[in-house]
Amino acid sequence: MLDISKIRKQFPILSRKVNGQDLVYFDNGATTQKPQAVIDSESNYYQNENSNVHRGVHFLSGLATDKFEETRNTIQAFIGAKHSHEIIFTKGTTDSINLVANGFRTLFKKGDEIIITELEHHSNIVPWQMCCEQSEATLKVIPLLDNGELDMNEFNNLLSESTKLVAVSHISNALGTINDIEEIIEKSHKIGAKVLIDGAQAASHVSINMQELNADFYCFSSHKMFGPTGVGVLYGKEEILNELSPYQGGGEMIKEVSFSGTTYAELPHKFEAGTPNIAGVIAFKSAIDFITNLGVETIAKYEDELLQYVTSEILKIEGVKIYGTAKNKSAILSFNIEGLHPYDIGMIVDKMGIAIRTGHHCAQPIMEKFNIPGTARISLAIYNTKEEIDLCINAIKKAKLMLS
Amino acid sequence: MSTIQEIQKEIIEDFAMFDDWIQKYEYLIDLGKELSPIDEKYKTEDNLIRGCQSRVWLHAEHTDGKIIYTADSDAIMSKGIVAILINVLSGQAPSEIATAKLDFINKIGLKEQLSPTRANGLVSMIKQMKLYALAFNN
Ligand SMILES: Cc1ncc(COP(=O)(O)O)c(C=O)c1O
């Protein structure tokens, strides 16, 4: 039996007050809160283990390096990657996508096509626009259906021999849609295109296995899965990572440096120039342990229960419209109330201690499609409860009353 | 016509009557609802104020040595905030506006009552109003 109150106790911030009220944190899509184990691990590193990785011969450097690499191995197991050197540490999802897009700038050429979708986060749009600008490749976009699912017929039409890469999010941060990435990967591979999955919203909510999924790249951020900020992962297949040129030059990524030429280090170091966020990476392991101890399936099942509940409760409020009603949905609920601006709603419920997100969620093309300035978004995590949902719904009702 | 300083004093007194955030917010919402409508032709991309999460349009006209501001927003709270600023600054001389110290904001708890992004919106609104004043002053 899942004991949510026990889980909540592991998150110190959940017992704080906001504007004099108990905090109800429903902005998990932006970033999740951190359990004590992650906080302890980060502070323990600075208290007892601080040293640079991969360079010193002394005791502490060895210790820090071991723990740093332990996280890499943990992630390898967590996502079912074939090799640990296929796990590249980055600053976050945005950084991971930029690394790949940058690497392809010199490999793509005029006439090549990159396919993205209408529901991408700006992080999975702009790097490809930049890549296209330099390589003269063309960007194609899979449109959205009204329910927030991708138009897969249109995807089939867009796929061609010119398609070199398909970049799509696993789960939409603005709509909650879980995309059928299995089908996208299979079809793209058939015509020889590579696939990058933006897994920022997925990694702690659905189980992922790289060898089964067969994606060429998969990106995610530690801070959206109970870990520290400033740490992310790029998973890439070994043979493709070997083909890509490095993103940044510097220390740690080289084999030999001389002024006649420099040779690059092996994976993963080739892509990890400079001193990384060592404390963050080490603490990230505690976050993964937290997830695996609970079990991703258990988390997903509980979050789905919350999603069903909040959906049915919010629909009882007159004038509510939900954006994103895909059959397969993660615990993200985007909505508007007729005649009200999402910002006004967010401002008022904030005074009641409730943290929701309002705005375009860094996905302006979606807002354009639905012709709205933005939405209010509730995004849930394992530590949220039905009681909190009740508080939130009441606050929204109160906001509606004040604003009408 | 009262001076900027006098109007600010009145607003501070008004807000002092409120016990809690609900009353302050309701007051802002009412101000927003009462704000005289802006001429639709001024709701242009150029007149949008950057730095607000909602869309806020601000238009300024210079007549008889005074600046008349009109504004609108698609969010009612933003409309309320811009309405307060208009109450304080509209109808004053450019030189007065450009040098005005808007200390009522801290004294009515507006800044602290409003979230940081909202406060940013407020800062952008004031900046834009003062920019008009500077432009008309030259
Ligand atoms: C779907 C998606 N992609 C990418 C990102 C960017 O992640 P980060 O800011 O951690 O780089 C986010 C974060 O909001 C996201 O939700």
Side-chain angles (χ1 to χ4, degrees):
Chain A
M1 220 352 242
L2 204 53
D3 185 350
I4 301 300
S5 67
K6 224 167 116 190
I7 293 173
R8 288 181 68 82
K9 286 209 186 85
Q10 297 182 47
F11 291 80
I13 207 170
L14 294 181
S15 53
R16 71 158 287 168
K17 304 261 179 205
V18 164
N19 290 321
Q21 313 282 324
D22 289 333
L23 166 68
V24 173
Y25 187 76
F26 281 175
D27 194 16
N28 296 287
T31 197
T32 59
Q33 299 302 345
K34 321 301 172 200
Q36 192 65 51
V38 169
I39 300 167
D40 287 347
S41 162
E42 177 124 5
S43 102
N44 180 55
Y45 165 77
Y46 285 119
Q47 290 204 21
N48 298 308
E49 299 161 347
N50 177 48
S51 194
N52 213 328
V53 289
H54 299 136
R55 14 201 127 183
V57 291
H58 55 81
F59 174 83
L60 280 184
S61 175
L63 179 65
T65 305
D66 285 349
K67 294 200 82 171
F68 187 85
E69 290 306 318
E70 217 176 293
T71 301
R72 203 188 304 274
N73 295 333
T74 303
I75 291 168
Q76 181 200 352
F78 182 67
I79 66 170
K82 198 165 172 187
H83 308 289
S84 65
H85 57 254
E86 293 177 320
I87 312 295
I88 313 288
F89 287 119
T90 64
K91 286 187 293 184
T93 306
T94 306
D95 196 31
S96 301
I97 298 172
N98 275 282
L99 188 160
V100 177
N102 187 76
F104 276 122
R105 280 180 197 199
T106 48
L107 298 178
F108 293 159
K109 55 182 192 311
K110 203 173 174 143
D112 289 346
E113 291 177 0
I114 299 171
I115 298 180
I116 60 170
T117 87
E118 199 175 4
L119 57 61
E120 297 312 309
H121 188 281
H122 296 164
S123 294
N124 201 25
I125 300 175
V126 184
W128 302 114
Q129 289 175 326
M130 290 161 71
C131 176
C132 284
E133 214 167 89
Q134 278 210 351
S135 63
E136 293 189 61
T138 310
L139 198 62
K140 302 272 174 178
V141 182
I142 308 172
L144 270 179
L145 300 171
D146 287 341
N147 67 356
E149 290 177 3
L150 293 176
D151 185 341
M152 294 301 270
N153 286 332
E154 209 36 55
F155 169 58
N156 292 333
N157 293 339
L158 288 175
L159 262 186
S160 77
E161 258 132 54
S162 308
T163 312
K164 292 292 174 274
L165 186 124
V166 179
V168 51
S169 52
H170 195 164
I171 295 177
S172 155
N173 67 307
L175 301 172
T177 313
I178 304 180
N179 293 314
D180 189 352
I181 56 170
E182 289 82 1
E183 184 181 337
I184 290 176
I185 292 169
E186 196 192 319
K187 288 191 166 152
S188 305
H189 281 168
K190 260 198 193 127
I191 54 112
K194 308 262 186 287
V195 182
L196 175 139
I197 305 294
D198 169 355
Q201 293 295 336
S204 69
H205 302 277
V206 292
S207 66
I208 41 176
N209 183 298
M210 289 307 124
Q211 289 175 81
E212 283 169 20
L213 196 57
N214 202 20
D216 301 291
F217 301 100
Y218 197 99
C219 312
F220 51 98
S221 300
S222 147
H223 74 95
K224 291 185 197 285
M225 43 199 302
F226 314 110
T229 55
V231 178
V233 167
L234 168 66
Y235 159 83
K237 281 185 186 158
E238 177 183 33
E239 60 275 19
I240 307 173
L241 285 176
N242 276 330
E243 269 176 52
L244 284 191
S245 42
Y247 182 32
Q248 291 174 323
E252 196 61 36
M253 54 77 71
I254 42 82
K255 199 186 255 163
E256 261 173 278
V257 176
S258 77
F259 289 109
S260 59
T262 293
T263 46
Y264 304 129
E266 306 281 304
L267 292 175
H269 307 294
K270 171 180 158 188
F271 291 107
E272 293 180 355
T275 300
N277 182 350
I278 304 169
V281 167
I282 290 175
F284 188 19
K285 179 180 182 296
S286 304
I288 306 266
D289 290 345
F290 171 80
I291 295 169
T292 36
N293 284 341
L294 287 170
V296 181
E297 304 290 347
T298 312
I299 294 176
K301 188 159 164 279
Y302 177 72
E303 287 177 351
D304 193 54
E305 218 178 288
L306 291 181
L307 177 70
Q308 300 312 327
Y309 183 68
V310 72
T311 306
S312 70
E313 287 303 304
I314 207 160
L315 282 172
K316 290 180 188 160
I317 302 175
E318 214 187 292
V320 161
K321 180 168 165 51
I322 293 178
Y323 296 91
T325 50
K327 284 185 282 299
N328 215 352
K329 240 189 105 166
S330 178
I332 289 172
L333 182 84
S334 237
F335 69 95
N336 273 330
I337 299 178
E338 205 185 331
L340 304 187
H341 196 284
Y343 202 29
D344 287 332
I345 299 171
M347 287 275 297
I348 292 177
V349 301
D350 169 61
K351 296 304 296 181
M352 294 181 254
I354 292 157
I356 61 171
R357 179 82 180 267
T358 64
H360 54 61
H361 317 297
C362 297
Q364 282 177 343
I366 299 182
M367 303 304 138
E368 230 163 84
K369 164 168 173 77
F370 291 113
N371 197 18
I372 47 176
T375 69
R377 182 188 72 180
I378 294 170
S379 51
L380 303 160
I382 184 71
Y383 42 65
N384 291 132
T385 64
K386 288 189 179 167
E387 291 71 37
E388 288 181 306
I389 291 174
D390 291 339
L391 287 173
C392 178
I393 297 285
N394 278 333
I396 293 168
K397 283 183 185 158
K398 169 122 197 166
K400 188 179 175 223
L401 214 64
M402 282 176 72
L403 291 163
S404 312
Chain B
M1 178 95 204
S2 312
T3 65
I4 291 178
Q5 223 35 50
E6 285 162 358
I7 303 170
Q8 291 198 67
K9 209 171 140 237
E10 275 171 38
I11 293 175
I12 294 166
E13 281 164 14
D14 281 351
F15 270 84
M17 298 185 313
F18 303 138
D19 314 321
D20 59 12
W21 69 270
I22 296 185
Q23 291 177 345
K24 286 185 189 177
Y25 271 33
E26 280 173 342
Y27 183 70
L28 277 178
I29 291 166
D30 287 341
L31 284 178
K33 286 180 180 161
E34 288 161 12
L35 179 67
S36 347
I38 191 174
D39 196 326
E40 281 297 316
K41 70 171 184 258
Y42 295 130
K43 286 168 81 167
T44 59
E45 198 67 23
D46 277 351
N47 280 341
L48 273 178
I49 296 178
R50 307 278 150 206
C52 307
Q53 224 192 67
S54 56
R55 291 190 297 173
V56 180
W57 296 269
L58 178 74
H59 172 71
E61 261 168 47
H62 191 204
T63 38
D64 302 330
K66 297 181 188 323
I67 301 182
I68 306 297
Y69 294 101
T70 47
D72 197 5
S73 172
D74 49 5
I76 191 76
M77 297 282 295
S78 311
K79 224 169 141 174
I81 293 165
V82 82
I84 287 203
L85 293 174
I86 288 181
N87 287 350
V88 176
L89 298 177
S90 194
Q92 305 290 343
S95 58
E96 296 291 323
I97 296 170
T99 55
K101 279 207 174 53
L102 299 174
D103 40 16
F104 79 97
I105 292 163
N106 290 327
K107 294 192 179 145
I108 62 172
L110 201 59
K111 232 177 177 165
E112 121 209 344
Q113 290 288 325
L114 301 172
S115 69
T117 44
R118 172 69 72 179
N120 286 340
L122 181 77
V123 169
S124 314
M125 289 176 203
I126 295 170
K127 196 168 147 203
Q128 194 56 37
M129 290 173 116
K130 290 203 165 197
L131 276 176
Y132 275 120
L134 285 172
F136 289 134
N137 209 16
N138 286 329

